[in-house]
């Protein structure tokens, strides 16, 4: 029998950051992930500067032998429509590869781990948990992403929730592809669907290209994605054949009401398991890390008593973390005629692109958020 105080299920950013903080404080922590790291993860790999700040990551050091693409401009517009380029004097974002980033964070956490083993059973056992019939833990941290088994245990109606569905492909371009691809590396492009129910992105990170599309409805996702590929082929010289290998995934966005139950007796959820991605941009790495640190603080303050009421401060902390994030893209909540009007007129307006699309929805640097 393997024993630990805290079992962290999932080794993405949420799991490894939470585990790392608990290990540093001297707790006996075990992390379990069904994958062997480094592992691919469907993601655009866009992070905002607070991610590096909170993680105390030195860009120079992280960038040694890993992709860290500085970004100081964005192109925004409509698929098959007009677009604007917004430039900044400073670096406003970075591009990373999740294959490298998640592996780095997991190694840095120093946590004892079992990789390549999924959690398939969770049973109550002597006031704690028996996991997969062979691991005994007093507390479970559910960091297994949208389909996390701990989230199911706490009652998440997985498969019946409103989710963002997305498809993404990331690959290293060969010399010829790099020559033909006209996308500038420091300028990711975001193109909204005409119905404003999602957007596609085109993101060059050093020698890698990342292409994807996410939508708030599941209908015709592949058709929307194929149409987007045709569009970027015409506009940017990206050969549609290059982006053949799409992976799909789903996630929940942060909601003030109707979100998942994130705390139970001897269990709590962090990151995507808790459904914390930003509602407008889909940014999930930053909230995953913020929730992980909040969870670790709550666990340490609980002093070994992991009953629900001792873990409740975490739920309250999550509510303020989500505060102000629960606005939807205004156009997406309006009638389709208004949405089309706003989409076609405003997205290509340079003031709206800078101050609303980028600084309010994506970069969160707007001092007066809606
Ligand atoms: C297509 C797409 C693009 C995105 N682009 C961005 C972006 O550019 N920037 C951004 O900030 N966010 C982005 N997001 C959101 C972001 O990927 C997530 O919010 C983030 O990965 C959440 O981290 P996490 O640690 O909670 O979960 P994950 O990173 O999903 O990690 C969960 C881990 O749990 C493991 N696991 C799952 N089930 C089990 C099990 N049963 N047993 C054991 N282990 C298990 C998995 O193997 C995985 O390693 C994107 C999401 C998608 C789908």
């Amino acid at each position: 029998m393997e024993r630990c105080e805290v079992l962290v299920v999932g080794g993405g950013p949420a799991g490894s950051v939470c585990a790392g903080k608990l290990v540093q404080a001297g707790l006996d922590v075990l992390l379990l992930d069904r994958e062997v790291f480094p592992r691919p993860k469907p993601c655009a790999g866009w992070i905002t500067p607070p991610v590096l700040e909170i993680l105390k990551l030195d860009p120079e050091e992280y960038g040694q032998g890993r992709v860290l693409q500085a970004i100081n401009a964005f192109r925004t517009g409509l698929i098959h429509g007009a677009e604007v380029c917004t430039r900044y004097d400073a670096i406003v974002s970075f591009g990373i590869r999740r294959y490298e980033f998640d592996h780095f964070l997991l190694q840095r956490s120093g946590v004892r781990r079992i990789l390549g083993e999924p959690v398939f059973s969770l049973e109550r056992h002597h006031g704690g948990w028996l996991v997969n019939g062979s691991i005994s833990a007093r507390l479970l941290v559910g960091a297994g992403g949208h389909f996390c088994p701990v989230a199911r245990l706490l009652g998440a109606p997985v498969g019946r929730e409103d989710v963002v569905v997305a498809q993404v492909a990331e690959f290293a371009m060969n010399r010829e592809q790099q020559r033909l691809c006209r996308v500038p590396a420091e300028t990711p492009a975001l193109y909204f669907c005409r119905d404003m129910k999602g957007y596609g992105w085109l993101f060059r990170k050093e020698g890698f290209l990342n292409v994807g599309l996410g939508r708030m409805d599941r209908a015709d996702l592949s058709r929307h994605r194929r149409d987007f590929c045709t569009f970027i082929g015409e506009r940017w010289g990206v050969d549609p054949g290059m982006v053949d290998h799409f992976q799909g995934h789903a996630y929940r966005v942060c909601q003030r009401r109707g979100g998942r139950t994130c705390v139970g007796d001897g269990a709590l959820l962090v990151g995507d398991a808790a459904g914390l991605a930003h509602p407008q941009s889909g940014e999930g790495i930053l909230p995953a890390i913020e929730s992980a640190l909040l969870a670790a603080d709550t666990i340490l303050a609980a002093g070994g008593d992991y009953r629900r009421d001792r873990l409740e401060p975490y739920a309250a902390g999550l509510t303020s973390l989500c505060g102000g994030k629960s606005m939807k893209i205004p156009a997406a909540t309006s009638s389709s005629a208004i949405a089309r009007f706003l989409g076609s007129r405003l997205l290509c307006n340079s003031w709206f692109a800078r101050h609303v699309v980028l600084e309010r929805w994506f970069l969160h640097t707007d001092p007066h958020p809606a």
Side-chain angles (χ1 to χ4, degrees):
M1 177 81 71
E2 187 88 48
R3 288 177 199 284
C4 60
E5 174 88 357
V6 181
L7 179 76
V8 178
V9 178
S16 54
V17 167
C18 183
K21 185 153 187 185
L22 295 176
V23 168
Q24 262 178 18
L27 257 64
D28 177 18
V29 185
L30 178 66
L31 183 146
L32 201 139
D33 198 294
R34 65 179 175 198
E35 304 283 345
V36 174
F37 283 60
R39 52 104 174 87
K41 159 78 193 152
C43 185
W46 156 70
I47 54 172
T48 44
V51 171
L52 297 189
E53 284 157 30
I54 293 174
L55 291 175
K56 298 186 177 67
L57 272 189
D58 174 11
E60 291 273 314
E61 196 187 322
Y62 179 80
Q64 298 286 323
R66 284 173 286 261
V67 169
L68 187 67
Q69 176 66 59
I71 296 163
N72 56 17
F74 282 89
R75 285 182 177 276
T76 49
L78 274 178
I79 297 175
H80 297 295
E83 63 182 69
V84 288
C85 184
T86 307
R87 296 192 183 281
Y88 292 91
D89 294 335
I91 295 172
V92 289
S93 287
F94 294 92
I96 46 95
R97 296 188 63 226
R98 292 293 298 272
Y99 187 79
E100 299 168 349
F101 185 74
D102 290 16
H103 189 216
F104 170 86
L105 291 182
L106 184 56
Q107 282 187 314
R108 195 175 81 151
S109 72
V111 68
R112 184 160 63 98
R113 45 198 179 256
I114 299 174
L115 300 178
E117 182 179 329
V119 166
F120 54 83
S121 85
L122 295 166
E123 299 161 68
R124 269 305 204 179
H125 180 69
H126 298 313
W129 300 95
L130 181 65
V131 179
N132 292 354
S134 62
I135 304 168
S136 149
R138 297 202 50 230
L139 173 70
L140 295 177
V141 174
H146 180 68
F147 300 98
C148 182
V150 186
R152 292 177 196 267
L153 183 84
L154 294 185
V158 180
R160 287 178 282 121
E161 300 163 297
D162 286 339
V163 291
V164 173
V165 286
Q167 292 186 357
V168 63
E170 181 171 279
F171 57 93
M173 292 185 284
N174 63 30
R175 267 173 202 270
E176 182 60 4
Q177 288 169 335
Q178 292 199 38
R179 193 180 65 77
L180 291 174
C181 176
R182 301 189 296 270
V183 184
E186 69 293 344
T187 314
L190 308 170
Y191 295 105
F192 288 80
C193 301
R194 283 192 179 262
D195 61 6
M196 296 297 290
K197 288 189 175 167
Y199 68 88
W201 65 86
L202 178 60
F203 195 177
R204 186 173 186 164
K205 298 179 268 189
E206 299 178 7
F208 290 84
L209 195 66
N210 185 300
V211 175
L213 183 120
R215 283 185 57 83
M216 290 187 282
D217 66 351
R218 294 160 199 260
D220 287 338
L221 179 65
S222 293
R223 182 179 62 75
H224 283 284
R225 192 261 300 154
R226 280 195 301 275
D227 179 52
F228 179 61
C229 288
T230 306
F231 162 66
I232 57 173
E234 289 162 6
R235 186 156 298 182
W236 289 108
V238 178
D239 171 4
M242 266 205 262
V243 286
D244 264 351
H245 304 290
F246 279 87
Q247 275 187 292
H249 200 58
Y251 57 92
R252 271 182 73 91
V253 295
C254 197
Q255 285 164 344
R256 249 185 223 136
R257 277 185 288 277
R260 288 182 171 179
T261 300
C262 294
V263 170
D265 271 326
L268 47 74
L269 305 179
V270 290
D272 271 11
L276 302 178
H278 198 282
Q280 286 106 0
S281 62
E283 177 183 19
I285 298 170
L286 179 61
I289 292 166
E290 288 173 326
S291 64
L293 294 172
L294 195 61
D297 287 341
T298 310
I299 293 165
L300 294 173
D305 177 355
Y306 302 128
R307 281 172 299 176
R308 185 188 172 118
D309 59 333
R310 298 286 294 162
L311 302 177
E312 271 307 330
Y314 171 66
L318 276 191
T319 306
S320 47
L321 199 70
C322 277
K325 289 184 184 169
S326 36
M327 288 285 293
K328 287 188 173 163
I329 296 173
T333 58
S334 316
S335 76
S336 58
I338 297 172
R340 277 199 299 275
F341 174 80
L342 285 173
S344 57
R345 299 292 166 98
L346 292 179
L347 277 175
C348 309
N349 171 289
S350 49
W351 185 92
F352 189 82
R354 178 181 292 273
H355 295 286
V356 179
V357 178
L358 292 173
E359 294 172 10
R360 189 170 295 178
W361 295 349
F362 280 79
L363 302 173
H364 321 302
T365 51
D366 176 18
H368 308 294

